[in-house]
Amino acid sequence: MPISAGLYKKIHQWIMGEDGKTVAFRPFLTNGNPYKSRIFLISTNAVPFFKVEDRSEQIFAESLVNRDLFQELYFSEIKGAPREFKGSLQFEAWLKKQYNESLLYTSLNTYQLDSADHAKSAKKEGAANFERGKTIFKEVLEEFQPEIIILQGTAAFNQFKTLYADNLAIYNANELKVQVLEETGPFAEMDYGNGKKAYIFVARSMGSFGAEGKNFERFKGNLAKNILVNA
């Protein structure tokens, strides 16, 4: 089903590059209405790169909220995507199956890259788009204001803490190891400044999640407590 004109207008602003002609960003990926996604999964960079043909902006925008369409358009790219991307989709499927929760998957920098190794060169060669990618993430977070935020990996954890230092109430500032924090529940609470708050979790890369997340049992248990309490 096509997305509403209002949502498409907003997404269009988030996907187009600085030249206004080509799609350069992947602001998020979900399956359904993004306003109903209470949980964000955040990586560092928007990897891999999903190429959009000229004048196909609207169908790309629709694919960001329609998983069947996304998989139809980008079957080959998904098949060859890094483990973290595929593992994130597996985590999304598990979350839906277990708790009927819709996940919104995004990145601290929404500028699309072929691989995380290209971040340094992209910062130099596509400086305007690279900086815009950070701004789009902030706009996406402010627009949807999830109740639970999951940061995957050490880089995302450290960058998010720096980015939102003034908004975070960190429970144990001395603990810096992701594997320890993964097992202890939320490490911080974030204040949006309008009365709404979010619990912040951290986990290893979802690249090793698998179908059921057998290596993430403690993390899943702690997450479940917050999902059920706030349902």
Side-chain angles (χ1 to χ4, degrees):
M1 180 181 295
I3 57 177
S4 68
L7 181 56
Y8 174 63
K9 182 179 180 180
K10 188 171 294 294
I11 292 177
H12 186 268
Q13 296 173 342
W14 287 336
I15 63 176
M16 300 305 294
E18 288 292 312
D19 62 4
K21 300 177 181 178
T22 57
V23 171
F25 305 98
R26 189 175 77 242
F28 62 84
L29 189 62
T30 190
N31 193 14
N33 185 345
Y35 289 97
K36 294 183 178 180
S37 297
R38 298 195 303 146
I39 304 173
F40 268 32
L41 176 64
I42 300 174
S43 60
T44 307
N45 296 107
V47 176
F49 184 90
F50 293 98
K51 182 176 175 56
V52 181
E53 301 296 334
D54 291 345
R55 296 181 294 281
S56 297
E57 295 90 352
Q58 181 153 354
I59 193 169
F60 178 68
E62 291 176 2
S63 77
L64 297 180
V65 300
N66 183 326
R67 185 53 42 77
D68 289 339
L69 177 59
F70 187 78
Q71 291 177 332
E72 178 184 336
L73 292 174
Y74 298 108
F75 176 81
S76 296
E77 289 87 342
I78 294 171
K79 187 176 180 180
R83 289 179 61 194
E84 182 172 282
F85 182 85
K86 291 188 280 191
S88 297
L89 298 189
Q90 289 176 312
F91 174 65
E92 176 194 55
W94 173 85
L95 195 62
K96 184 68 175 179
K97 176 182 176 182
Q98 294 295 321
Y99 301 104
N100 196 31
E101 288 283 349
S102 296
L103 181 76
L104 190 147
Y105 178 31
T106 185
S107 306
L108 292 174
N109 193 319
T110 62
Y111 183 41
Q112 293 198 107
L113 302 174
D114 289 320
S115 76
D117 294 336
H118 293 168
K120 287 185 178 180
S121 59
K123 189 174 182 179
K124 294 179 180 179
E125 298 168 8
N129 278 326
F130 194 82
E131 288 304 311
R132 174 63 179 150
K134 299 176 185 178
T135 300
I136 291 171
F137 168 76
K138 294 178 182 178
E139 292 175 356
V140 168
L141 187 64
E142 283 297 316
E143 181 67 24
F144 302 122
Q145 296 190 348
E147 298 172 24
I148 293 174
I149 293 172
I150 302 167
L151 307 170
Q152 62 170 322
T154 301
F157 170 54
N158 289 331
Q159 289 180 30
F160 189 89
K161 282 195 304 177
T162 300
L163 190 62
Y164 290 100
D166 295 337
N167 303 80
L168 296 178
I170 299 176
Y171 304 143
N172 183 1
N174 294 321
E175 184 53 68
L176 303 175
K177 294 181 179 179
V178 166
Q179 286 185 301
V180 174
L181 292 169
E182 179 185 294
E183 298 186 350
T184 58
F187 79 88
E189 190 174 299
M190 177 173 163
D191 189 345
Y192 288 110
N194 59 358
K196 293 186 67 176
K197 296 183 179 181
Y199 288 109
I200 316 297
F201 288 76
V202 63
R204 290 162 290 158
S205 167
M206 291 296 168
S208 59
F209 189 82
E212 298 296 333
K214 293 182 179 179
N215 296 324
F216 290 77
E217 291 302 330
R218 289 286 294 277
F219 169 74
K220 292 191 301 180
N222 289 322
L223 181 61
K225 293 175 185 176
N226 284 269
I227 291 174
L228 296 174
V229 168
N230 296 286

